[in-house]
PDB file of all heavy atoms in Angstrom:
ATOM      1  N   ALA A   1      89.471  99.421  80.338  1.00 94.00           N
ATOM      2  CA  ALA A   1      89.994  98.488  81.336  1.00 94.00           C
ATOM      3  C   ALA A   1      91.294  97.830  80.905  1.00 94.00           C
ATOM      4  O   ALA A   1      92.152  97.525  81.740  1.00 94.00           O
ATOM      5  CB  ALA A   1      88.949  97.420  81.653  1.00 94.00           C
ATOM      6  N   LYS A   2      91.480  97.614  79.605  1.00 96.00           N
ATOM      7  CA  LYS A   2      92.713  96.968  79.153  1.00 96.00           C
ATOM      8  C   LYS A   2      93.944  97.776  79.561  1.00 96.00           C
ATOM      9  O   LYS A   2      94.993  97.211  79.886  1.00 96.00           O
ATOM     10  CB  LYS A   2      92.688  96.775  77.636  1.00 96.00           C
ATOM     11  CG  LYS A   2      91.755  95.659  77.168  1.00 96.00           C
ATOM     12  CD  LYS A   2      91.848  95.461  75.667  1.00 96.00           C
ATOM     13  CE  LYS A   2      90.941  94.316  75.221  1.00 96.00           C
ATOM     14  NZ  LYS A   2      91.000  94.120  73.746  1.00 96.00           N
ATOM     15  N   LYS A   3      93.822  99.102  79.534  1.00 97.00           N
ATOM     16  CA  LYS A   3      94.926  99.963  79.953  1.00 97.00           C
ATOM     17  C   LYS A   3      95.007 100.064  81.474  1.00 97.00           C
ATOM     18  O   LYS A   3      96.080 100.310  82.025  1.00 97.00           O
ATOM     19  CB  LYS A   3      94.769 101.362  79.341  1.00 97.00           C
ATOM     20  CG  LYS A   3      94.900 101.391  77.827  1.00 97.00           C
ATOM     21  CD  LYS A   3      94.741 102.803  77.297  1.00 97.00           C
ATOM     22  CE  LYS A   3      94.873 102.843  75.777  1.00 97.00           C
ATOM     23  NZ  LYS A   3      94.681 104.218  75.243  1.00 97.00           N
ATOM     24  N   PHE A   4      93.868  99.889  82.144  1.00 98.00           N
ATOM     25  CA  PHE A   4      93.843  99.956  83.603  1.00 98.00           C
ATOM     26  C   PHE A   4      94.481  98.712  84.217  1.00 98.00           C
ATOM     27  O   PHE A   4      95.262  98.798  85.173  1.00 98.00           O
ATOM     28  CB  PHE A   4      92.398 100.111  84.090  1.00 98.00           C
ATOM     29  CG  PHE A   4      92.246 100.097  85.582  1.00 98.00           C
ATOM     30  CD1 PHE A   4      92.638 101.181  86.346  1.00 98.00           C
ATOM     31  CD2 PHE A   4      91.698  98.995  86.225  1.00 98.00           C
ATOM     32  CE1 PHE A   4      92.498 101.166  87.732  1.00 98.00           C
ATOM     33  CE2 PHE A   4      91.543  98.967  87.603  1.00 98.00           C
ATOM     34  CZ  PHE A   4      91.951 100.060  88.358  1.00 98.00           C
ATOM     35  N   PHE A   5      94.162  97.558  83.662  1.00 98.00           N
ATOM     36  CA  PHE A   5      94.700  96.308  84.206  1.00 98.00           C
ATOM     37  C   PHE A   5      96.227  96.280  84.078  1.00 98.00           C
ATOM     38  O   PHE A   5      96.788  96.619  83.039  1.00 98.00           O
ATOM     39  CB  PHE A   5      94.097  95.098  83.495  1.00 98.00           C
ATOM     40  CG  PHE A   5      92.631  94.888  83.784  1.00 98.00           C
ATOM     41  CD1 PHE A   5      91.757  94.532  82.772  1.00 98.00           C
ATOM     42  CD2 PHE A   5      92.125  95.030  85.068  1.00 98.00           C
ATOM     43  CE1 PHE A   5      90.410  94.329  83.026  1.00 98.00           C
ATOM     44  CE2 PHE A   5      90.774  94.843  85.342  1.00 98.00           C
ATOM     45  CZ  PHE A   5      89.920  94.491  84.320  1.00 98.00           C
ATOM     46  N   GLY A   6      96.861  95.889  85.167  1.00 97.00           N
ATOM     47  CA  GLY A   6      98.322  95.842  85.197  1.00 97.00           C
ATOM     48  C   GLY A   6      98.973  97.122  85.676  1.00 97.00           C
ATOM     49  O   GLY A   6     100.203  97.192  85.784  1.00 97.00           O
ATOM     50  N   SER A   7      98.182  98.148  85.984  1.00 97.00           N
ATOM     51  CA  SER A   7      98.754  99.427  86.414  1.00 97.00           C
ATOM     52  C   SER A   7      99.191  99.419  87.881  1.00 97.00           C
ATOM     53  O   SER A   7      99.890 100.321  88.322  1.00 97.00           O
ATOM     54  CB  SER A   7      97.757 100.563  86.168  1.00 97.00           C
ATOM     55  OG  SER A   7      96.554 100.358  86.902  1.00 97.00           O
ATOM     56  N   ARG A   8      98.736  98.433  88.649  1.00 98.00           N
ATOM     57  CA  ARG A   8      99.137  98.225  90.051  1.00 98.00           C
ATOM     58  C   ARG A   8      98.975  99.487  90.908  1.00 98.00           C
ATOM     59  O   ARG A   8      99.885  99.890  91.634  1.00 98.00           O
ATOM     60  CB  ARG A   8     100.569  97.707  90.120  1.00 98.00           C
ATOM     61  CG  ARG A   8     100.774  96.377  89.409  1.00 98.00           C
ATOM     62  CD  ARG A   8     102.194  95.893  89.518  1.00 98.00           C
ATOM     63  NE  ARG A   8     102.577  95.599  90.890  1.00 98.00           N
ATOM     64  CZ  ARG A   8     102.317  94.458  91.529  1.00 98.00           C
ATOM     65  NH1 ARG A   8     101.657  93.490  90.900  1.00 98.00           N
ATOM     66  NH2 ARG A   8     102.703  94.280  92.771  1.00 98.00           N
ATOM     67  N   PRO A   9      97.821 100.115  90.870  1.00 98.00           N
ATOM     68  CA  PRO A   9      97.647 101.353  91.647  1.00 98.00           C
ATOM     69  C   PRO A   9      97.665 101.125  93.152  1.00 98.00           C
ATOM     70  O   PRO A   9      98.122 101.995  93.907  1.00 98.00           O
ATOM     71  CB  PRO A   9      96.291 101.879  91.187  1.00 98.00           C
ATOM     72  CG  PRO A   9      95.546 100.655  90.751  1.00 98.00           C
ATOM     73  CD  PRO A   9      96.591  99.765  90.142  1.00 98.00           C
ATOM     74  N   PHE A  10      97.176  99.971  93.598  1.00 98.00           N
ATOM     75  CA  PHE A  10      97.069  99.770  95.044  1.00 98.00           C
ATOM     76  C   PHE A  10      98.438  99.678  95.714  1.00 98.00           C
ATOM     77  O   PHE A  10      98.655 100.260  96.784  1.00 98.00           O
ATOM     78  CB  PHE A  10      96.223  98.530  95.343  1.00 98.00           C
ATOM     79  CG  PHE A  10      94.773  98.713  95.039  1.00 98.00           C
ATOM     80  CD1 PHE A  10      94.249  98.318  93.818  1.00 98.00           C
ATOM     81  CD2 PHE A  10      93.922  99.314  95.957  1.00 98.00           C
ATOM     82  CE1 PHE A  10      92.909  98.510  93.523  1.00 98.00           C
ATOM     83  CE2 PHE A  10      92.582  99.512  95.676  1.00 98.00           C
ATOM     84  CZ  PHE A  10      92.074  99.104  94.454  1.00 98.00           C
ATOM     85  N   SER A  11      99.367  98.976  95.099  1.00 98.00           N
ATOM     86  CA  SER A  11     100.699  98.907  95.690  1.00 98.00           C
ATOM     87  C   SER A  11     101.380 100.270  95.642  1.00 98.00           C
ATOM     88  O   SER A  11     102.126 100.637  96.570  1.00 98.00           O
ATOM     89  CB  SER A  11     101.550  97.842  94.994  1.00 98.00           C
ATOM     90  OG  SER A  11     101.599  98.046  93.602  1.00 98.00           O
ATOM     91  N   GLN A  12     101.111 101.049  94.599  1.00 98.00           N
ATOM     92  CA  GLN A  12     101.654 102.418  94.537  1.00 98.00           C
ATOM     93  C   GLN A  12     101.069 103.286  95.642  1.00 98.00           C
ATOM     94  O   GLN A  12     101.790 104.058  96.291  1.00 98.00           O
ATOM     95  CB  GLN A  12     101.340 103.047  93.178  1.00 98.00           C
ATOM     96  CG  GLN A  12     102.050 102.416  91.997  1.00 98.00           C
ATOM     97  CD  GLN A  12     101.680 103.137  90.706  1.00 98.00           C
ATOM     98  OE1 GLN A  12     101.964 104.320  90.529  1.00 98.00           O
ATOM     99  NE2 GLN A  12     101.017 102.432  89.800  1.00 98.00           N
ATOM    100  N   ILE A  13      99.756 103.175  95.842  1.00 98.00           N
ATOM    101  CA  ILE A  13      99.113 103.945  96.919  1.00 98.00           C
ATOM    102  C   ILE A  13      99.700 103.535  98.264  1.00 98.00           C
ATOM    103  O   ILE A  13     100.045 104.397  99.098  1.00 98.00           O
ATOM    104  CB  ILE A  13      97.588 103.728  96.905  1.00 98.00           C
ATOM    105  CG1 ILE A  13      96.964 104.294  95.632  1.00 98.00           C
ATOM    106  CG2 ILE A  13      96.949 104.374  98.129  1.00 98.00           C
ATOM    107  CD1 ILE A  13      95.512 103.872  95.408  1.00 98.00           C
ATOM    108  N   ASP A  14      99.820 102.225  98.498  1.00 98.00           N
ATOM    109  CA  ASP A  14     100.334 101.747  99.779  1.00 98.00           C
ATOM    110  C   ASP A  14     101.740 102.276 100.048  1.00 98.00           C
ATOM    111  O   ASP A  14     102.064 102.672 101.179  1.00 98.00           O
ATOM    112  CB  ASP A  14     100.346 100.215  99.798  1.00 98.00           C
ATOM    113  CG  ASP A  14      98.952  99.618  99.946  1.00 98.00           C
ATOM    114  OD1 ASP A  14      97.999 100.370 100.226  1.00 98.00           O
ATOM    115  OD2 ASP A  14      98.816  98.389  99.776  1.00 98.00           O
ATOM    116  N   GLU A  15     102.567 102.293  99.025  1.00 98.00           N
ATOM    117  CA  GLU A  15     103.937 102.796  99.180  1.00 98.00           C
ATOM    118  C   GLU A  15     103.927 104.277  99.550  1.00 98.00           C
ATOM    119  O   GLU A  15     104.675 104.719 100.434  1.00 98.00           O
ATOM    120  CB  GLU A  15     104.713 102.573  97.878  1.00 98.00           C
ATOM    121  CG  GLU A  15     106.163 102.991  97.940  1.00 98.00           C
ATOM    122  CD  GLU A  15     106.908 102.719  96.638  1.00 98.00           C
ATOM    123  OE1 GLU A  15     106.448 101.859  95.857  1.00 98.00           O
ATOM    124  OE2 GLU A  15     107.941 103.368  96.404  1.00 98.00           O
ATOM    125  N   ALA A  16     103.077 105.061  98.877  1.00 98.00           N
ATOM    126  CA  ALA A  16     103.009 106.496  99.152  1.00 98.00           C
ATOM    127  C   ALA A  16     102.407 106.782 100.520  1.00 98.00           C
ATOM    128  O   ALA A  16     102.851 107.702 101.227  1.00 98.00           O
ATOM    129  CB  ALA A  16     102.198 107.199  98.060  1.00 98.00           C
ATOM    130  N   VAL A  17     101.414 106.000 100.915  1.00 98.00           N
ATOM    131  CA  VAL A  17     100.806 106.160 102.244  1.00 98.00           C
ATOM    132  C   VAL A  17     101.839 105.895 103.331  1.00 98.00           C
ATOM    133  O   VAL A  17     101.945 106.638 104.321  1.00 98.00           O
ATOM    134  CB  VAL A  17      99.585 105.225 102.388  1.00 98.00           C
ATOM    135  CG1 VAL A  17      99.161 105.091 103.852  1.00 98.00           C
ATOM    136  CG2 VAL A  17      98.415 105.743 101.556  1.00 98.00           C
ATOM    137  N   ALA A  18     102.628 104.848 103.141  1.00 97.00           N
ATOM    138  CA  ALA A  18     103.672 104.528 104.117  1.00 97.00           C
ATOM    139  C   ALA A  18     104.734 105.628 104.173  1.00 97.00           C
ATOM    140  O   ALA A  18     105.185 106.028 105.254  1.00 97.00           O
ATOM    141  CB  ALA A  18     104.315 103.187 103.773  1.00 97.00           C
ATOM    142  N   ALA A  19     105.124 106.142 103.007  1.00 96.00           N
ATOM    143  CA  ALA A  19     106.143 107.194 102.951  1.00 96.00           C
ATOM    144  C   ALA A  19     105.669 108.473 103.644  1.00 96.00           C
ATOM    145  O   ALA A  19     106.482 109.237 104.192  1.00 96.00           O
ATOM    146  CB  ALA A  19     106.511 107.484 101.498  1.00 96.00           C
ATOM    147  N   ALA A  20     104.352 108.697 103.625  1.00 95.00           N
ATOM    148  CA  ALA A  20     103.772 109.881 104.271  1.00 95.00           C
ATOM    149  C   ALA A  20     103.629 109.698 105.781  1.00 95.00           C
ATOM    150  O   ALA A  20     103.248 110.642 106.479  1.00 95.00           O
ATOM    151  CB  ALA A  20     102.422 110.203 103.651  1.00 95.00           C
ATOM    152  N   GLY A  21     103.897 108.486 106.262  1.00 94.00           N
ATOM    153  CA  GLY A  21     103.801 108.230 107.692  1.00 94.00           C
ATOM    154  C   GLY A  21     102.419 107.866 108.181  1.00 94.00           C
ATOM    155  O   GLY A  21     102.171 107.830 109.394  1.00 94.00           O
ATOM    156  N   HIS A  22     101.502 107.562 107.253  1.00 95.00           N
ATOM    157  CA  HIS A  22     100.148 107.170 107.639  1.00 95.00           C
ATOM    158  C   HIS A  22     100.084 105.673 107.947  1.00 95.00           C
ATOM    159  O   HIS A  22     100.888 104.889 107.434  1.00 95.00           O
ATOM    160  CB  HIS A  22      99.162 107.455 106.498  1.00 95.00           C
ATOM    161  CG  HIS A  22      99.030 108.901 106.139  1.00 95.00           C
ATOM    162  ND1 HIS A  22      98.668 109.866 107.043  1.00 95.00           N
ATOM    163  CD2 HIS A  22      99.206 109.541 104.945  1.00 95.00           C
ATOM    164  CE1 HIS A  22      98.626 111.047 106.433  1.00 95.00           C
ATOM    165  NE2 HIS A  22      98.951 110.874 105.167  1.00 95.00           N
ATOM    166  N   ALA A  23      99.104 105.295 108.745  1.00 96.00           N
ATOM    167  CA  ALA A  23      98.814 103.877 108.932  1.00 96.00           C
ATOM    168  C   ALA A  23      98.350 103.300 107.598  1.00 96.00           C
ATOM    169  O   ALA A  23      97.689 103.985 106.811  1.00 96.00           O
ATOM    170  CB  ALA A  23      97.734 103.693 109.994  1.00 96.00           C
ATOM    171  N   PRO A  24      98.677 102.038 107.306  1.00 97.00           N
ATOM    172  CA  PRO A  24      98.287 101.459 106.021  1.00 97.00           C
ATOM    173  C   PRO A  24      96.777 101.326 105.880  1.00 97.00           C
ATOM    174  O   PRO A  24      96.056 101.218 106.874  1.00 97.00           O
ATOM    175  CB  PRO A  24      98.964 100.087 106.028  1.00 97.00           C
ATOM    176  CG  PRO A  24      99.206  99.773 107.462  1.00 97.00           C
ATOM    177  CD  PRO A  24      99.428 101.087 108.141  1.00 97.00           C
ATOM    178  N   VAL A  25      96.326 101.333 104.636  1.00 98.00           N
ATOM    179  CA  VAL A  25      94.913 101.089 104.329  1.00 98.00           C
ATOM    180  C   VAL A  25      94.727  99.585 104.133  1.00 98.00           C
ATOM    181  O   VAL A  25      95.470  98.965 103.363  1.00 98.00           O
ATOM    182  CB  VAL A  25      94.475 101.845 103.058  1.00 98.00           C
ATOM    183  CG1 VAL A  25      93.026 101.501 102.700  1.00 98.00           C
ATOM    184  CG2 VAL A  25      94.653 103.348 103.216  1.00 98.00           C
ATOM    185  N   ASP A  26      93.750  99.020 104.803  1.00 97.00           N
ATOM    186  CA  ASP A  26      93.384  97.622 104.560  1.00 97.00           C
ATOM    187  C   ASP A  26      92.286  97.627 103.502  1.00 97.00           C
ATOM    188  O   ASP A  26      91.146  97.997 103.781  1.00 97.00           O
ATOM    189  CB  ASP A  26      92.895  96.963 105.851  1.00 97.00           C
ATOM    190  CG  ASP A  26      92.611  95.474 105.679  1.00 97.00           C
ATOM    191  OD1 ASP A  26      92.683  94.982 104.522  1.00 97.00           O
ATOM    192  OD2 ASP A  26      92.298  94.811 106.681  1.00 97.00           O
TER     193      ASP A  26
END
């Protein structure tokens, strides 16, 4: 978890989802 924390995966996913033209994930 120490390496996982701070990785900010959700904002990365949101950016990629938007770039793909998908509706955002809530």
Side-chain angles (χ1 to χ4, degrees):
K2 286 184 178 179
K3 294 180 180 178
F4 176 73
F5 291 138
S7 61
R8 300 181 64 83
F10 289 95
S11 54
Q12 293 181 63
I13 295 168
D14 286 350
E15 183 178 338
V17 165
H22 297 303
V25 176
D26 185 354

